[in-house]
Amino acid sequence: MLDATPPELVTVAADAGFRSIGIRLTAPPSVGVPPYDILSDGPVLRETLRRLADTGVSVLDTEFLRFEPEHPKGIPDGFLEVSARLGARNVLVMSAEPEESRTLERLGELCDRAAGYDLQVCLEFAIYTGVRTLAHAADVVARSKRSNASVLIDALHWSRSGGIPAHVKQVDPSLLRYVQICDAGPDMPGRPTHPRSFARRARKASARRGGPTAGGAGGALPPTVPLAIEAPCRATAELPAAERAKRAYRALTALLEKS
C-alpha cells in the first residue's frame, strides 16, 4: 500500500482484518511513497495516532533506514522519536556500506540510540547490499554485541541469496523478530558490484513481487514469529488500496490455513 498515507494505511488495514502494519516514515521518491511529513508533530502524525487508537491496529515496524557511505548521518531527525510515539516495536535498516567495519560501527550506533526508545533494530540482508545473506546478517548482528539487534528475513531477498530452510534453522530464533513474506517471483540478474546500484536494485525488487508466500522458509520459521506482507506489484497497482489490502489478507489467511 505504498501509495497510501499512514492514516489511510491504518484504515484500510483495519477494514481488511489486519492487526498490525508497517509504516514508511521515510523513503526515496523513486519507491513510490507519496510525499507527507510524519516526522514532525503535525496533522499526519496526529491523525495516524488517532486512527491507531480508534482501530486498535498496532505498528509492527517503521521503515526504512539505510546506511550509505555518502550519507554518514543515516538516521533522519525525528525517526526514532516518532517510531516510539507510534508504538512501533521494530525499525528496519539496510546497509549499502561497502566496508563491513562501517556497517558494524553504524549498526552499533543505531542500536544504542534505539535502545533509549525501547526499539528493536532489524538488519535486512539482500544480495545488492553490504549484508548479502542470512548467515552474513546473523554474523554481523552477533558481532555488534547489541541485545536489541536482530535479523530480518525478506522472502524475496532470502530466495535470491540462495536461501534454503536449513539456513533459517541455523539462526537463533530469538533473532527473528518478524519476517516479510511474498512470492519471490522471477530471478533477478546477478549481484552488482557498486554501492550506487543499491537504489536501482531496490526499485526492481519492490515492483516484481507476487502475493504472500513464505518462499520455502515457512516450515523453518519459529511458529510464533509475526508475518508481514511486503508484496508491492505493478500488476495490481491500479486497484484501490482497500481492495489490495483485502486480497492480501485473504492470501495470508489461505497460506496460514495450509501451513
Side-chain angles (χ1 to χ4, degrees), residues 1-5 9 24 27 31-34 36 63 206 232 244:
M1 315 301 150
L2 292 178
D3 54 324
T5 64
L9 178 62
R24 293 228 174 176
V31 174
V33 177
Y36 51 76
E63 304 179 17
S206 294
R244 278 175 277 146

Side-chain angles (χ1 to χ4, degrees), residues 22-69:
I23 296 182
R24 293 228 174 176
L25 301 185
T26 180
S30 58
V31 174
V33 177
Y36 51 76
D37 178 15
I38 194 172
L39 293 182
S40 63
D41 190 11
V44 175
L45 176 58
R46 290 195 293 269
E47 180 62 15
T48 302
L49 291 169
R50 186 187 70 80
R51 295 194 192 191
L52 289 171
D54 288 348
T55 61
V57 169
S58 64
V59 178
L60 179 64
D61 79 332
T62 52
E63 304 179 17
F64 62 91
L65 299 175
R66 188 162 70 199
F67 301 146
E68 296 178 284

Side-chain angles (χ1 to χ4, degrees), residues 70-147:
E70 60 267 36
H71 299 295
K73 183 177 180 181
I75 308 174
D77 292 338
F79 189 98
L80 297 177
E81 293 86 345
V82 168
S83 296
R85 287 190 63 184
L86 291 167
R89 287 168 271 173
N90 308 285
V91 297
L92 184 156
V93 65
M94 301 183 83
S95 179
E97 285 281 5
E99 298 294 332
E100 188 175 281
S101 60
R102 283 290 294 149
T103 293
L104 270 167
E105 179 183 349
R106 297 181 72 170
L107 179 63
E109 292 171 352
L110 172 58
C111 287
D112 291 344
R113 289 186 56 183
Y117 297 94
D118 197 24
L119 291 166
Q120 192 82 13
V121 175
C122 302
L123 177 63
E124 182 175 358
F125 63 91
I127 58 172
Y128 55 81
T129 73
V131 182
R132 295 183 173 89
T133 67
L134 175 57
H136 191 185
D139 179 64
V140 170
V141 165
R143 285 193 288 141
S144 76
K145 295 182 171 59
R146 298 310 197 275
S147 61

